[in-house]
Amino acid sequence: MKARQYSPLDHLIMNLDQAVRTLAGKPRLTGRPDPANEWEDTDLSAKEKTESASLMRVNHAGEVAAQALYQGQALTARLEEVRSRMERAAEEENDHLEWCAERVNQLGGHLSYLNPLWYLGSFAIGAIAGAAGDKWSLGFVAETEKQVIEHLQEHLRRLPENDRKSRAVIEQMKIDEARHGAVAKAAGGVELPAPVKQLMKLASRVMTRTAYWI
Ligand SMILES: [Fe+2]
Ligand SMILES: [Fe+2]
Protein backbone atom coordinates (compact mmCIF):
# COMPACT_ATOMS: atom_id res chain seq x y z
CA MET A 1 0.00 0.00 0.00
CA LYS A 2 1.32 3.45 -0.91
CA ALA A 3 1.83 5.81 2.03
CA ARG A 4 -0.27 8.96 1.82
CA GLN A 5 1.64 12.09 0.77
CA TYR A 6 0.70 15.12 2.86
CA SER A 7 0.76 18.62 1.43
CA PRO A 8 2.28 21.56 3.37
CA LEU A 9 -1.28 22.63 4.18
CA ASP A 10 -2.05 19.17 5.62
CA HIS A 11 1.05 19.47 7.80
CA LEU A 12 0.06 22.95 8.94
CA ILE A 13 -3.42 21.76 9.93
CA MET A 14 -2.00 18.71 11.73
CA ASN A 15 0.39 21.00 13.59
CA LEU A 16 -2.38 23.35 14.66
CA ASP A 17 -4.38 20.36 15.86
CA GLN A 18 -1.37 19.13 17.82
CA ALA A 19 -0.75 22.57 19.37
CA VAL A 20 -4.33 22.82 20.58
CA ARG A 21 -4.21 19.28 21.95
CA THR A 22 -0.95 19.97 23.80
CA LEU A 23 -2.10 23.23 25.34
CA ALA A 24 -5.63 22.07 26.11
CA GLY A 25 -4.36 18.90 27.78
CA LYS A 26 -5.83 16.44 25.27
CA PRO A 27 -2.69 15.02 23.67
CA ARG A 28 -2.53 11.73 21.72
CA LEU A 29 -0.91 9.15 24.00
CA THR A 30 0.89 5.87 23.42
CA GLY A 31 -1.30 4.10 25.98
CA ARG A 32 1.47 3.31 28.47
CA PRO A 33 0.43 3.35 32.13
CA ASP A 34 1.32 6.34 34.33
CA PRO A 35 4.42 5.28 36.34
CA ALA A 36 3.08 7.20 39.36
CA ASN A 37 0.24 4.68 39.66
CA GLU A 38 2.68 1.99 40.74
CA TRP A 39 3.12 3.81 44.05
CA GLU A 40 0.78 4.47 46.94
CA ASP A 41 0.34 8.08 48.00
CA THR A 42 2.81 9.04 50.72
CA ASP A 43 2.43 11.75 53.35
CA LEU A 44 4.00 14.99 52.21
CA SER A 45 4.13 18.20 54.24
CA ALA A 46 2.53 21.32 52.74
CA LYS A 47 6.00 22.65 51.96
CA GLU A 48 7.04 19.43 50.26
CA LYS A 49 3.85 19.41 48.20
CA THR A 50 4.45 22.97 47.03
CA GLU A 51 8.04 22.17 46.09
CA SER A 52 7.04 18.99 44.23
CA ALA A 53 4.23 20.77 42.40
CA SER A 54 6.61 23.55 41.32
CA LEU A 55 9.18 21.09 40.03
CA MET A 56 6.56 19.02 38.20
CA ARG A 57 5.15 22.23 36.69
CA VAL A 58 8.64 22.96 35.33
CA ASN A 59 8.79 19.44 33.88
CA HIS A 60 5.36 19.84 32.34
CA ALA A 61 6.41 23.14 30.73
CA GLY A 62 9.53 21.36 29.47
CA GLU A 63 7.36 18.71 27.86
CA VAL A 64 5.18 21.37 26.23
CA ALA A 65 8.40 22.78 24.78
CA ALA A 66 9.64 19.32 23.74
CA GLN A 67 6.36 18.66 22.02
CA ALA A 68 6.61 21.95 20.11
CA LEU A 69 10.24 21.31 19.18
CA TYR A 70 9.34 17.97 17.65
CA GLN A 71 6.35 19.40 15.84
CA GLY A 72 8.39 22.29 14.50
CA GLN A 73 11.09 19.91 13.30
CA ALA A 74 8.57 17.53 11.76
CA LEU A 75 7.21 20.47 9.76
CA THR A 76 10.53 21.29 8.13
CA ALA A 77 12.39 17.94 8.19
CA ARG A 78 13.27 16.82 4.69
CA LEU A 79 13.41 13.06 4.90
CA GLU A 80 10.11 11.31 5.39
CA GLU A 81 11.81 8.77 7.67
CA VAL A 82 13.15 11.51 9.94
CA ARG A 83 9.73 13.09 10.04
CA SER A 84 8.00 9.89 11.12
CA ARG A 85 10.64 9.19 13.76
CA MET A 86 10.09 12.67 15.18
CA GLU A 87 6.36 12.21 15.22
CA ARG A 88 6.69 8.97 17.17
CA ALA A 89 9.01 10.66 19.70
CA ALA A 90 6.55 13.54 19.99
CA GLU A 91 3.82 11.05 20.86
CA GLU A 92 5.99 9.65 23.63
CA GLU A 93 6.57 13.19 24.91
CA ASN A 94 2.81 13.41 25.18
CA ASP A 95 2.86 10.63 27.76
CA HIS A 96 5.32 12.73 29.76
CA LEU A 97 3.12 15.76 29.33
CA GLU A 98 0.10 13.88 30.63
CA TRP A 99 1.93 12.24 33.55
CA CYS A 100 3.42 15.58 34.69
CA ALA A 101 0.06 17.36 34.42
CA GLU A 102 -1.63 14.61 36.40
CA ARG A 103 1.01 14.80 39.12
CA VAL A 104 0.78 18.61 39.37
CA ASN A 105 -2.99 18.19 39.80
CA GLN A 106 -2.59 15.55 42.48
CA LEU A 107 -0.23 17.87 44.35
CA GLY A 108 -2.75 20.70 44.16
CA GLY A 109 -0.61 22.89 41.89
CA HIS A 110 -1.32 24.67 38.62
CA LEU A 111 0.31 24.35 35.20
CA SER A 112 2.50 27.14 33.86
CA TYR A 113 0.41 30.10 32.68
CA LEU A 114 3.06 30.72 30.04
CA ASN A 115 2.64 27.35 28.29
CA PRO A 116 1.45 28.95 25.01
CA LEU A 117 4.60 31.06 25.01
CA TRP A 118 6.86 28.02 25.61
CA TYR A 119 5.04 26.25 22.79
CA LEU A 120 5.40 29.07 20.28
CA GLY A 121 9.06 29.76 21.04
CA SER A 122 10.01 26.10 20.91
CA PHE A 123 8.04 25.50 17.73
CA ALA A 124 10.00 28.25 16.01
CA ILE A 125 13.33 26.87 17.27
CA GLY A 126 12.33 23.38 16.15
CA ALA A 127 11.34 24.61 12.69
CA ILE A 128 14.71 26.36 12.31
CA ALA A 129 16.57 23.22 13.43
CA GLY A 130 14.54 21.15 10.95
CA ALA A 131 15.25 23.60 8.14
CA ALA A 132 18.99 23.48 8.86
CA GLY A 133 18.97 19.90 7.56
CA ASP A 134 18.30 16.49 8.99
CA LYS A 135 21.75 15.80 10.44
CA TRP A 136 21.63 19.08 12.39
CA SER A 137 18.05 18.56 13.33
CA LEU A 138 18.79 15.09 14.70
CA GLY A 139 21.90 16.44 16.43
CA PHE A 140 19.67 19.04 18.00
CA VAL A 141 17.35 16.33 19.34
CA ALA A 142 20.30 14.38 20.76
CA GLU A 143 21.66 17.50 22.49
CA THR A 144 18.22 18.52 23.78
CA GLU A 145 17.67 15.10 25.29
CA LYS A 146 21.12 15.13 26.86
CA GLN A 147 20.36 18.46 28.52
CA VAL A 148 16.91 17.25 29.59
CA ILE A 149 18.43 14.19 31.28
CA GLU A 150 20.87 16.41 33.21
CA HIS A 151 17.94 18.57 34.24
CA LEU A 152 15.88 15.55 35.36
CA GLN A 153 18.80 14.31 37.41
CA GLU A 154 18.91 17.64 39.19
CA HIS A 155 15.18 17.35 39.89
CA LEU A 156 15.64 13.90 41.37
CA ARG A 157 18.05 15.52 43.82
CA ARG A 158 15.61 18.32 44.63
CA LEU A 159 12.35 16.35 44.88
CA PRO A 160 11.31 15.27 48.39
CA GLU A 161 12.70 11.80 49.04
CA ASN A 162 9.29 10.33 49.87
CA ASP A 163 7.50 11.77 46.82
CA ARG A 164 7.63 8.35 45.19
CA LYS A 165 5.02 9.15 42.56
CA SER A 166 6.84 12.18 41.11
CA ARG A 167 10.13 10.33 41.23
CA ALA A 168 8.67 7.37 39.33
CA VAL A 169 7.46 9.70 36.56
CA ILE A 170 10.87 11.37 36.30
CA GLU A 171 12.71 8.03 36.27
CA GLN A 172 10.60 6.77 33.34
CA MET A 173 11.05 10.08 31.51
CA LYS A 174 14.81 9.76 31.89
CA ILE A 175 14.72 6.33 30.25
CA ASP A 176 12.58 7.60 27.36
CA GLU A 177 14.68 10.73 26.77
CA ALA A 178 17.86 8.65 26.67
CA ARG A 179 16.24 6.45 24.01
CA HIS A 180 15.09 9.46 21.97
CA GLY A 181 18.62 10.85 22.08
CA ALA A 182 20.17 7.52 21.07
CA VAL A 183 17.72 7.10 18.16
CA ALA A 184 18.50 10.61 16.92
CA LYS A 185 22.24 9.96 17.06
CA ALA A 186 21.94 6.58 15.35
CA ALA A 187 19.84 8.19 12.59
CA GLY A 188 22.74 10.53 11.76
CA GLY A 189 22.56 13.35 14.31
CA VAL A 190 25.81 15.31 14.51
CA GLU A 191 27.49 17.09 17.43
CA LEU A 192 26.34 20.71 17.62
CA PRO A 193 28.80 23.63 17.85
CA ALA A 194 29.53 24.65 21.47
CA PRO A 195 27.92 28.13 21.19
CA VAL A 196 24.64 26.54 20.04
CA LYS A 197 24.71 24.17 23.02
CA GLN A 198 25.32 27.12 25.34
CA LEU A 199 22.45 29.04 23.80
CA MET A 200 20.15 26.04 24.27
CA LYS A 201 21.17 25.82 27.93
CA LEU A 202 20.47 29.49 28.40
CA ALA A 203 17.03 29.26 26.79
CA SER A 204 16.03 26.27 28.88
CA ARG A 205 17.29 27.98 32.04
CA VAL A 206 15.03 30.97 31.37
CA MET A 207 12.10 28.63 30.86
CA THR A 208 12.71 26.36 33.85
CA ARG A 209 13.32 29.25 36.26
CA THR A 210 10.21 31.10 35.11
CA ALA A 211 7.92 28.07 35.06
CA TYR A 212 8.98 27.27 38.64
CA TRP A 213 7.02 30.34 39.73
CA ILE A 214 4.38 30.94 37.05
FE1 LIG B 1 9.88 14.13 27.51
FE1 LIG C 1 12.31 13.02 24.58
Side-chain angles (χ1 to χ4, degrees):
M1 199 169 71
K2 196 167 171 286
R4 195 188 151 183
Q5 293 292 316
Y6 292 106
S7 71
L9 183 66
D10 289 330
H11 279 289
L12 185 69
I13 290 169
M14 288 190 288
N15 269 288
L16 281 175
D17 175 62
Q18 195 67 30
V20 171
R21 282 170 186 272
T22 299
L23 295 171
K26 290 264 171 290
R28 254 187 302 270
L29 307 172
T30 66
R32 293 183 295 172
D34 185 337
N37 293 343
E38 289 162 28
W39 292 88
E40 291 294 319
D41 230 343
T42 44
D43 270 343
L44 295 171
S45 70
K47 199 171 155 238
E48 285 174 327
K49 267 191 179 173
T50 309
E51 174 68 356
S52 279
S54 299
L55 294 175
M56 294 310 279
R57 169 166 57 249
V58 169
N59 291 319
H60 179 268
E63 293 300 333
V64 167
Q67 182 57 231
L69 281 175
Y70 278 116
Q71 291 302 323
Q73 283 181 313
L75 186 71
T76 51
R78 284 154 212 189
L79 295 172
E80 199 52 46
E81 192 205 334
V82 171
R83 181 176 284 166
S84 62
R85 272 179 201 272
M86 300 257 172
E87 278 168 2
R88 168 67 197 174
E91 235 172 69
E92 291 184 2
E93 305 298 359
N94 276 337
D95 289 350
H96 302 171
L97 193 73
E98 174 83 359
W99 300 339
C100 288
E102 178 67 19
R103 193 61 195 136
V104 170
N105 269 333
Q106 290 168 353
L107 290 160
H110 66 82
L111 300 178
S112 175
Y113 299 124
L114 299 177
N115 278 341
L117 189 69
W118 311 137
Y119 193 97
L120 268 179
S122 302
F123 187 87
I125 293 171
I128 292 167
D134 289 331
K135 68 174 185 176
W136 293 111
S137 176
L138 290 164
F140 181 78
V141 171
E143 177 61 24
T144 302
E145 298 293 17
K146 188 171 151 247
Q147 292 187 15
V148 170
I149 291 169
E150 285 165 11
H151 157 88
L152 293 175
Q153 253 148 6
E154 189 208 318
H155 273 203
L156 283 174
R157 282 193 292 274
R158 289 170 69 184
L159 276 168
E161 198 53 49
N162 55 344
D163 185 358
R164 291 283 144 209
K165 282 179 176 282
S166 299
R167 303 182 80 86
V169 169
I170 305 278
E171 290 287 2
Q172 185 56 50
M173 279 165 56
K174 254 177 67 185
I175 294 169
D176 294 346
E177 312 304 15
R179 195 181 53 249
H180 297 160
V183 166
K185 258 195 190 157
V190 292
E191 191 83 12
L192 300 185
V196 176
K197 291 183 188 174
Q198 284 306 321
L199 206 67
M200 288 164 70
K201 278 195 180 145
L202 190 73
S204 69
R205 203 168 302 151
V206 169
M207 194 197 75
T208 53
R209 300 231 168 131
T210 312
Y212 183 87
W213 299 106
I214 40 178

